[in-house]
Amino acid sequence: MTDALAIATNQLDQFGYLNLEVDPTLDLVAAINQLKKEKNAVILAHYYQESEIQDIADYIGDSLGLSQQAAQTQADMIVFAGVHFMAETAKMLSPQKKVLLPDLKAGCSLADSCPPHLFRKFKEKYPDHVVVSYINCTAELKTLTDICCTSTNAVQIIESIPKDREIIFAPDKNLGAYLIKKTGRDMVLWNGACMVHEIFSQERIIKLKNRHPHAKFIAHPECEAHILDMADYIGSTTGLLKFTINDPCTEFIVATEAGILHQMQLASPTKTFIPAPPENNCACNECPHMKRNTLEKLYLCMLYDLPEIVLPDWVIEQGRNSIDRMMEVSAKAGLMGGVKR
Ligand code: 13P
Ligand code: SF4
Protein backbone atom coordinates (compact mmCIF):
# COMPACT_ATOMS: atom_id res chain seq x y z
CA MET A 1 0.00 0.00 0.00
CA THR A 2 1.41 3.44 -0.92
CA ASP A 3 1.76 6.09 1.82
CA ALA A 4 -0.97 8.23 0.22
CA LEU A 5 -3.38 5.29 0.07
CA ALA A 6 -2.60 4.30 3.67
CA ILE A 7 -3.34 7.89 4.82
CA ALA A 8 -6.58 7.98 2.83
CA THR A 9 -7.73 4.59 4.21
CA ASN A 10 -6.98 5.69 7.76
CA GLN A 11 -8.87 8.98 7.24
CA LEU A 12 -11.92 7.18 5.87
CA ASP A 13 -11.95 4.68 8.76
CA GLN A 14 -11.67 7.47 11.30
CA PHE A 15 -13.84 10.25 9.87
CA GLY A 16 -15.76 8.79 6.92
CA TYR A 17 -14.27 11.46 4.64
CA LEU A 18 -10.88 12.79 3.58
CA ASN A 19 -10.01 15.16 6.40
CA LEU A 20 -7.32 17.02 4.45
CA GLU A 21 -6.55 20.74 4.42
CA VAL A 22 -7.97 22.67 1.48
CA ASP A 23 -6.23 25.91 0.47
CA PRO A 24 -8.64 28.58 1.84
CA THR A 25 -7.98 30.81 -1.19
CA LEU A 26 -9.07 28.11 -3.65
CA ASP A 27 -12.20 28.88 -5.68
CA LEU A 28 -13.98 25.66 -4.77
CA VAL A 29 -16.82 26.07 -7.27
CA ALA A 30 -14.38 26.58 -10.18
CA ALA A 31 -12.20 23.68 -8.98
CA ILE A 32 -15.19 21.31 -8.71
CA ASN A 33 -16.43 22.32 -12.17
CA GLN A 34 -12.94 21.67 -13.57
CA LEU A 35 -12.79 18.19 -11.95
CA LYS A 36 -16.27 17.47 -13.29
CA LYS A 37 -15.02 18.04 -16.85
CA GLU A 38 -11.71 16.20 -16.41
CA LYS A 39 -13.35 13.12 -14.88
CA ASN A 40 -16.59 13.15 -16.89
CA ALA A 41 -18.48 13.24 -13.60
CA VAL A 42 -22.07 14.14 -12.81
CA ILE A 43 -23.09 15.63 -9.46
CA LEU A 44 -26.51 14.49 -8.22
CA ALA A 45 -27.83 16.41 -5.22
CA HIS A 46 -30.86 15.80 -3.02
CA TYR A 47 -33.11 18.76 -2.17
CA TYR A 48 -31.97 18.50 1.46
CA GLN A 49 -28.35 19.41 0.67
CA GLU A 50 -26.85 22.77 1.64
CA SER A 51 -27.86 25.39 -0.95
CA GLU A 52 -24.26 25.89 -2.15
CA ILE A 53 -24.14 22.18 -3.06
CA GLN A 54 -27.55 22.34 -4.78
CA ASP A 55 -26.27 25.31 -6.80
CA ILE A 56 -23.30 23.40 -8.21
CA ALA A 57 -25.16 20.13 -8.94
CA ASP A 58 -26.06 18.88 -12.43
CA TYR A 59 -29.33 17.47 -11.16
CA ILE A 60 -31.31 18.26 -8.04
CA GLY A 61 -34.13 16.02 -7.05
CA ASP A 62 -35.90 13.72 -4.67
CA SER A 63 -35.02 10.07 -4.15
CA LEU A 64 -36.90 8.95 -7.27
CA GLY A 65 -35.51 11.67 -9.55
CA LEU A 66 -31.94 11.02 -8.46
CA SER A 67 -32.34 7.26 -9.00
CA GLN A 68 -33.70 7.95 -12.49
CA GLN A 69 -30.68 10.16 -13.23
CA ALA A 70 -28.25 7.58 -11.82
CA ALA A 71 -29.75 4.92 -14.11
CA GLN A 72 -29.59 7.11 -17.23
CA THR A 73 -26.38 9.09 -16.95
CA GLN A 74 -23.64 8.82 -19.57
CA ALA A 75 -21.02 10.08 -17.09
CA ASP A 76 -18.18 7.80 -15.93
CA MET A 77 -18.43 8.98 -12.34
CA ILE A 78 -21.49 9.70 -10.18
CA VAL A 79 -20.81 12.05 -7.28
CA PHE A 80 -23.74 11.67 -4.91
CA ALA A 81 -24.46 14.66 -2.72
CA GLY A 82 -26.95 12.90 -0.50
CA VAL A 83 -26.87 10.08 2.02
CA HIS A 84 -25.48 6.56 2.01
CA PHE A 85 -28.59 4.62 0.94
CA MET A 86 -29.02 6.96 -2.06
CA ALA A 87 -25.44 6.43 -3.25
CA GLU A 88 -25.88 2.66 -2.76
CA THR A 89 -29.01 2.79 -4.91
CA ALA A 90 -27.07 4.67 -7.61
CA LYS A 91 -24.36 1.99 -7.49
CA MET A 92 -26.96 -0.79 -7.83
CA LEU A 93 -28.49 0.96 -10.84
CA SER A 94 -25.13 1.71 -12.49
CA PRO A 95 -22.72 -0.92 -11.11
CA GLN A 96 -20.12 -0.32 -13.84
CA LYS A 97 -19.72 3.34 -12.81
CA LYS A 98 -17.64 4.81 -10.02
CA VAL A 99 -20.02 6.18 -7.37
CA LEU A 100 -18.61 8.60 -4.79
CA LEU A 101 -20.18 9.90 -1.58
CA PRO A 102 -18.35 12.91 -0.04
CA ASP A 103 -18.85 11.55 3.49
CA LEU A 104 -19.44 7.84 4.15
CA LYS A 105 -20.97 8.68 7.54
CA ALA A 106 -23.83 10.55 5.87
CA GLY A 107 -26.30 7.88 6.98
CA CYS A 108 -30.04 7.89 7.68
CA SER A 109 -31.92 7.26 10.93
CA LEU A 110 -34.75 5.63 8.99
CA ALA A 111 -32.45 3.18 7.18
CA ASP A 112 -30.72 2.45 10.52
CA SER A 113 -34.06 1.70 12.16
CA CYS A 114 -34.39 -1.49 10.10
CA PRO A 115 -31.35 -3.77 10.52
CA PRO A 116 -31.53 -6.53 7.86
CA HIS A 117 -30.91 -9.43 10.31
CA LEU A 118 -33.94 -8.37 12.41
CA PHE A 119 -36.08 -7.70 9.36
CA ARG A 120 -35.28 -11.19 8.00
CA LYS A 121 -36.76 -12.72 11.20
CA PHE A 122 -39.80 -10.40 11.03
CA LYS A 123 -40.41 -11.35 7.40
CA GLU A 124 -40.35 -15.08 8.28
CA LYS A 125 -43.57 -14.53 10.28
CA TYR A 126 -45.37 -13.44 7.08
CA PRO A 127 -44.08 -15.84 4.41
CA ASP A 128 -46.85 -15.06 1.89
CA HIS A 129 -46.67 -11.26 2.12
CA VAL A 130 -45.21 -9.04 -0.60
CA VAL A 131 -42.43 -6.88 0.87
CA VAL A 132 -42.54 -3.20 -0.12
CA SER A 133 -39.60 -1.17 1.19
CA TYR A 134 -39.24 2.58 1.13
CA ILE A 135 -36.02 3.28 -0.76
CA ASN A 136 -34.66 4.85 2.48
CA CYS A 137 -33.19 1.51 3.56
CA THR A 138 -29.85 -0.25 3.24
CA ALA A 139 -28.77 -2.12 0.11
CA GLU A 140 -28.95 -5.35 2.10
CA LEU A 141 -32.56 -4.67 3.06
CA LYS A 142 -33.33 -4.28 -0.63
CA THR A 143 -32.20 -7.92 -1.11
CA LEU A 144 -35.10 -8.90 1.21
CA THR A 145 -37.57 -6.68 -0.66
CA ASP A 146 -39.92 -7.46 -3.57
CA ILE A 147 -40.45 -3.88 -4.69
CA CYS A 148 -39.12 -0.52 -3.51
CA CYS A 149 -40.96 2.78 -3.46
CA THR A 150 -40.20 6.43 -2.85
CA SER A 151 -42.54 9.07 -1.52
CA THR A 152 -43.29 10.18 -5.11
CA ASN A 153 -44.48 6.77 -6.32
CA ALA A 154 -45.55 4.98 -3.10
CA VAL A 155 -49.30 5.07 -3.86
CA GLN A 156 -48.80 3.73 -7.40
CA ILE A 157 -46.44 0.99 -6.12
CA ILE A 158 -48.98 -0.21 -3.53
CA GLU A 159 -51.76 -0.08 -6.15
CA SER A 160 -49.63 -2.18 -8.54
CA ILE A 161 -49.79 -5.12 -6.11
CA PRO A 162 -52.75 -7.47 -6.73
CA LYS A 163 -55.55 -6.88 -4.21
CA ASP A 164 -55.51 -10.48 -2.99
CA ARG A 165 -51.85 -10.21 -1.86
CA GLU A 166 -50.99 -9.07 1.66
CA ILE A 167 -48.19 -6.55 2.18
CA ILE A 168 -45.37 -5.82 4.62
CA PHE A 169 -44.27 -2.19 4.45
CA ALA A 170 -40.82 -1.19 5.80
CA PRO A 171 -39.15 0.73 7.32
CA ASP A 172 -41.22 3.93 7.78
CA LYS A 173 -44.32 3.46 9.97
CA ASN A 174 -45.50 7.03 9.28
CA LEU A 175 -45.39 6.73 5.49
CA GLY A 176 -46.91 3.24 5.90
CA ALA A 177 -49.82 4.58 7.99
CA TYR A 178 -50.40 7.35 5.43
CA LEU A 179 -50.46 4.76 2.62
CA ILE A 180 -52.94 2.55 4.47
CA LYS A 181 -55.25 5.57 4.73
CA LYS A 182 -54.69 6.68 1.14
CA THR A 183 -54.97 3.28 -0.63
CA GLY A 184 -57.30 1.44 1.77
CA ARG A 185 -54.86 -1.51 1.80
CA ASP A 186 -54.12 -3.12 5.13
CA MET A 187 -50.36 -3.55 5.61
CA VAL A 188 -48.05 -4.95 8.28
CA LEU A 189 -45.73 -2.08 9.24
CA TRP A 190 -42.12 -2.13 10.41
CA ASN A 191 -41.68 0.23 13.37
CA GLY A 192 -39.15 2.70 11.88
CA ALA A 193 -39.16 6.48 11.48
CA CYS A 194 -37.14 9.47 10.28
CA MET A 195 -35.68 11.60 13.08
CA VAL A 196 -36.26 14.82 11.09
CA HIS A 197 -39.89 14.27 10.14
CA GLU A 198 -40.88 13.15 13.65
CA ILE A 199 -39.70 16.36 15.29
CA PHE A 200 -42.44 18.79 14.23
CA SER A 201 -44.51 20.34 17.00
CA GLN A 202 -48.28 20.35 16.50
CA GLU A 203 -48.72 23.05 19.12
CA ARG A 204 -46.16 25.38 17.57
CA ILE A 205 -47.53 24.77 14.06
CA ILE A 206 -51.04 25.73 15.26
CA LYS A 207 -49.63 28.95 16.77
CA LEU A 208 -47.76 29.69 13.53
CA LYS A 209 -50.91 29.08 11.46
CA ASN A 210 -52.79 31.52 13.71
CA ARG A 211 -50.13 34.15 13.10
CA HIS A 212 -50.25 33.48 9.32
CA PRO A 213 -53.95 32.78 8.64
CA HIS A 214 -53.51 32.90 4.84
CA ALA A 215 -50.57 30.47 4.74
CA LYS A 216 -51.07 26.90 3.51
CA PHE A 217 -49.55 24.13 5.59
CA ILE A 218 -47.82 21.45 3.48
CA ALA A 219 -46.12 18.29 4.74
CA HIS A 220 -44.03 15.28 3.69
CA PRO A 221 -45.69 11.87 4.31
CA GLU A 222 -42.80 10.83 6.60
CA CYS A 223 -44.40 13.13 9.22
CA GLU A 224 -46.59 11.69 11.97
CA ALA A 225 -50.35 11.30 11.42
CA HIS A 226 -51.36 14.17 13.75
CA ILE A 227 -49.18 16.54 11.69
CA LEU A 228 -50.44 15.18 8.35
CA ASP A 229 -54.03 15.58 9.55
CA MET A 230 -53.49 19.36 9.65
CA ALA A 231 -51.98 19.58 6.15
CA ASP A 232 -53.54 21.35 3.17
CA TYR A 233 -51.30 19.24 0.93
CA ILE A 234 -49.15 16.12 1.48
CA GLY A 235 -46.40 15.14 -0.96
CA SER A 236 -42.82 14.09 -1.62
CA THR A 237 -40.21 16.84 -1.80
CA THR A 238 -40.84 17.20 -5.55
CA GLY A 239 -44.60 17.15 -4.91
CA LEU A 240 -44.28 19.91 -2.30
CA LEU A 241 -42.07 22.00 -4.58
CA LYS A 242 -44.53 21.69 -7.51
CA PHE A 243 -47.44 22.51 -5.23
CA THR A 244 -45.83 25.79 -4.11
CA ILE A 245 -45.17 26.71 -7.75
CA ASN A 246 -48.68 25.94 -9.02
CA ASP A 247 -50.83 27.01 -6.08
CA PRO A 248 -51.97 30.67 -6.10
CA CYS A 249 -51.27 30.99 -2.35
CA THR A 250 -48.27 33.21 -1.57
CA GLU A 251 -47.33 31.91 1.88
CA PHE A 252 -46.49 28.34 2.92
CA ILE A 253 -45.55 26.62 6.16
CA VAL A 254 -43.39 23.67 5.13
CA ALA A 255 -43.07 20.48 7.21
CA THR A 256 -40.08 18.66 5.81
CA GLU A 257 -36.30 19.07 5.90
CA ALA A 258 -35.53 22.77 5.55
CA GLY A 259 -33.15 22.32 2.57
CA ILE A 260 -36.10 22.21 0.13
CA LEU A 261 -36.88 25.87 0.92
CA HIS A 262 -33.91 26.89 -1.26
CA GLN A 263 -35.53 25.52 -4.45
CA MET A 264 -38.97 26.78 -3.41
CA GLN A 265 -37.61 30.30 -2.98
CA LEU A 266 -35.68 30.14 -6.29
CA ALA A 267 -38.78 28.94 -8.16
CA SER A 268 -41.15 31.45 -6.53
CA PRO A 269 -39.09 34.47 -5.41
CA THR A 270 -42.12 36.56 -4.47
CA LYS A 271 -43.67 33.90 -2.21
CA THR A 272 -42.89 33.37 1.49
CA PHE A 273 -41.76 30.01 2.88
CA ILE A 274 -41.71 29.31 6.60
CA PRO A 275 -40.09 26.12 7.94
CA ALA A 276 -42.48 24.27 10.26
CA PRO A 277 -41.16 24.52 13.84
CA PRO A 278 -39.67 21.53 15.64
CA GLU A 279 -40.42 20.55 19.25
CA ASN A 280 -37.73 22.85 20.66
CA ASN A 281 -35.56 25.62 19.31
CA CYS A 282 -32.94 23.32 17.79
CA ALA A 283 -32.19 23.01 14.07
CA CYS A 284 -33.76 19.52 14.23
CA ASN A 285 -35.67 20.01 10.97
CA GLU A 286 -32.27 19.92 9.25
CA CYS A 287 -31.05 16.38 8.60
CA PRO A 288 -27.65 16.03 10.30
CA HIS A 289 -26.74 13.24 7.89
CA MET A 290 -27.52 15.22 4.75
CA LYS A 291 -25.70 18.21 6.19
CA ARG A 292 -22.44 16.23 6.67
CA ASN A 293 -21.66 16.94 3.02
CA THR A 294 -19.81 20.20 2.38
CA LEU A 295 -18.26 21.84 -0.69
CA GLU A 296 -14.77 21.02 0.70
CA LYS A 297 -15.63 17.33 1.07
CA LEU A 298 -17.18 17.33 -2.40
CA TYR A 299 -14.00 18.81 -3.85
CA LEU A 300 -11.69 16.38 -2.02
CA CYS A 301 -13.73 13.34 -2.98
CA MET A 302 -13.62 14.33 -6.65
CA LEU A 303 -9.89 15.07 -6.46
CA TYR A 304 -8.98 11.69 -4.93
CA ASP A 305 -11.91 9.56 -6.21
CA LEU A 306 -12.67 8.69 -2.57
CA PRO A 307 -14.75 7.68 -0.63
CA GLU A 308 -16.18 5.24 -3.16
CA ILE A 309 -19.31 3.11 -2.71
CA VAL A 310 -18.43 -0.56 -3.12
CA LEU A 311 -21.08 -3.27 -2.83
CA PRO A 312 -20.71 -7.06 -2.92
CA ASP A 313 -21.90 -8.57 -6.23
CA TRP A 314 -24.60 -10.64 -4.50
CA VAL A 315 -26.13 -7.50 -2.97
CA ILE A 316 -26.27 -5.79 -6.36
CA GLU A 317 -27.72 -8.90 -8.05
CA GLN A 318 -30.36 -9.65 -5.38
CA GLY A 319 -31.21 -6.05 -4.45
CA ARG A 320 -31.44 -4.62 -7.93
CA ASN A 321 -34.73 -6.38 -8.84
CA SER A 322 -36.65 -4.46 -6.19
CA ILE A 323 -35.43 -1.15 -7.64
CA ASP A 324 -35.99 -2.20 -11.28
CA ARG A 325 -39.61 -3.12 -10.48
CA MET A 326 -40.10 0.29 -8.87
CA MET A 327 -38.61 2.04 -11.91
CA GLU A 328 -40.95 0.12 -14.26
CA VAL A 329 -44.09 1.10 -12.32
CA SER A 330 -42.89 4.73 -12.13
CA ALA A 331 -42.18 4.86 -15.88
CA LYS A 332 -45.62 3.42 -16.69
CA ALA A 333 -47.24 6.04 -14.44
CA GLY A 334 -45.09 8.80 -16.01
CA LEU A 335 -43.63 9.79 -12.62
CA MET A 336 -40.50 11.93 -12.48
CA GLY A 337 -38.85 13.18 -9.33
CA GLY A 338 -36.46 16.01 -9.97
CA VAL A 339 -35.19 19.10 -11.69
CA LYS A 340 -32.67 19.16 -14.53
CA ARG A 341 -30.55 22.27 -14.22
P1 13P B 1 -38.07 12.11 -0.97
O1 13P B 1 -36.74 12.41 -1.54
O2 13P B 1 -38.69 10.91 -1.63
O3 13P B 1 -39.00 13.26 -0.91
O4 13P B 1 -37.81 11.63 0.55
C1 13P B 1 -37.36 12.51 1.50
C2 13P B 1 -36.27 11.98 2.33
O5 13P B 1 -36.37 11.87 3.53
C3 13P B 1 -35.03 11.62 1.71
O6 13P B 1 -34.14 11.22 2.66
FE1 SF4 C 1 -32.98 9.76 6.55
FE2 SF4 C 1 -34.77 11.46 7.46
FE3 SF4 C 1 -32.34 12.35 6.86
FE4 SF4 C 1 -34.04 11.58 4.90
S1 SF4 C 1 -34.29 13.30 6.27
S2 SF4 C 1 -31.87 11.05 5.09
S3 SF4 C 1 -35.12 9.91 5.90
S4 SF4 C 1 -32.84 10.87 8.47
Side-chain angles (χ1 to χ4, degrees):
M1 192 186 279
T2 63
D3 283 356
L5 189 58
I7 291 170
T9 308
N10 181 32
Q11 294 263 317
L12 296 182
D13 287 348
Q14 222 183 320
F15 305 108
Y17 60 94
L18 294 174
N19 187 20
L20 304 172
E21 286 230 348
V22 177
D23 175 356
T25 64
L26 183 70
D27 179 345
L28 278 174
V29 172
I32 290 170
N33 281 328
Q34 181 61 29
L35 286 168
K36 216 157 65 171
K37 271 195 218 127
E38 280 170 19
K39 304 201 173 190
N40 188 26
V42 66
I43 300 178
L44 307 182
H46 192 270
Y47 288 127
Y48 297 167
Q49 290 293 288
E50 294 286 3
S51 45
E52 56 187 13
I53 294 183
Q54 293 189 34
D55 291 345
I56 202 173
D58 297 293
Y59 295 93
I60 314 155
D62 63 10
S63 308
L64 176 64
L66 297 176
S67 301
Q68 288 167 330
Q69 292 304 328
Q72 284 165 18
T73 182
Q74 297 300 312
D76 296 316
M77 179 189 276
I78 298 172
V79 185
F80 215 110
V83 291
H84 201 269
F85 77 80
M86 296 179 174
E88 281 184 336
T89 305
K91 183 68 185 175
M92 287 161 113
L93 285 163
S94 284
Q96 71 293 353
K97 295 193 194 294
K98 186 171 278 217
V99 177
L100 305 178
L101 180 67
D103 187 329
L104 284 179
K105 290 193 181 166
C108 169
S109 67
L110 185 48
D112 290 348
S113 68
C114 194
H117 69 286
L118 296 182
F119 184 74
R120 191 185 292 275
K121 285 211 179 97
F122 177 78
K123 184 181 157 165
E124 277 166 12
K125 289 194 271 177
Y126 308 98
D128 298 327
H129 285 46
V130 175
V131 176
V132 181
S133 293
Y134 193 30
I135 202 162
N136 301 31
C137 65
T138 62
E140 202 182 327
L141 203 88
K142 291 180 176 80
T143 68
L144 302 170
T145 296
D146 295 301
I147 184 163
C148 282
C149 73
T150 75
S151 50
T152 288
N153 58 24
V155 169
Q156 288 81 358
I157 298 292
I158 299 297
E159 285 174 348
S160 75
I161 297 166
K163 290 225 164 29
D164 59 344
R165 297 298 308 276
E166 292 191 282
I167 300 171
I168 296 176
F169 186 83
D172 189 350
K173 63 176 178 190
N174 294 320
L175 176 61
Y178 167 73
L179 291 168
I180 289 174
K181 214 168 167 183
K182 186 94 184 158
T183 64
R185 296 290 289 269
D186 197 17
M187 300 194 288
V188 178
L189 303 181
W190 179 265
N191 186 19
C194 158
M195 61 192 283
V196 178
H197 289 89
E198 282 215 315
I199 203 76
F200 296 110
S201 157
Q202 187 177 33
E203 200 185 317
R204 294 182 73 203
I205 293 169
I206 292 169
K207 281 187 186 152
L208 196 60
K209 274 166 72 97
N210 289 339
R211 285 207 302 278
H212 299 267
H214 302 297
K216 281 196 175 160
F217 175 61
I218 60 176
H220 194 282
E222 284 175 35
C223 295
E224 293 170 293
H226 63 278
I227 300 292
L228 296 180
D229 286 345
M230 295 194 294
D232 296 300
Y233 175 77
I234 300 168
S236 65
T237 39
T238 300
L240 297 175
L241 175 60
K242 284 187 185 157
F243 183 80
T244 62
I245 294 170
N246 297 327
D247 194 86
C249 185
T250 56
E251 209 178 2
F252 299 90
I253 300 169
V254 185
T256 190
E257 212 274 355
I260 185 66
L261 268 65
H262 180 55
Q263 292 304 320
M264 289 178 173
Q265 201 68 75
L266 284 178
S268 307
T270 59
K271 296 186 180 180
T272 303
F273 300 98
I274 309 166
E279 285 294 350
N280 44 44
N281 286 325
C282 62
C284 316
N285 55 355
E286 291 196 353
C287 174
H289 308 291
M290 287 277 181
K291 273 20 184 204
R292 282 186 72 93
N293 294 323
T294 61
L295 268 191
E296 282 81 4
K297 289 181 190 171
L298 193 65
Y299 164 71
L300 286 168
C301 100
M302 292 179 75
L303 187 64
Y304 292 101
D305 292 5
L306 283 171
E308 182 180 357
I309 297 292
V310 182
L311 289 172
D313 289 345
W314 75 267
V315 170
I316 296 182
E317 277 155 28
Q318 292 179 32
R320 165 95 199 227
N321 290 339
S322 63
I323 307 172
D324 284 343
R325 287 188 196 115
M326 174 191 86
M327 299 295 252
E328 276 164 34
V329 175
S330 307
K332 267 195 206 140
L335 295 167
M336 297 287 290
V339 175
K340 186 175 176 179
R341 288 167 58 80

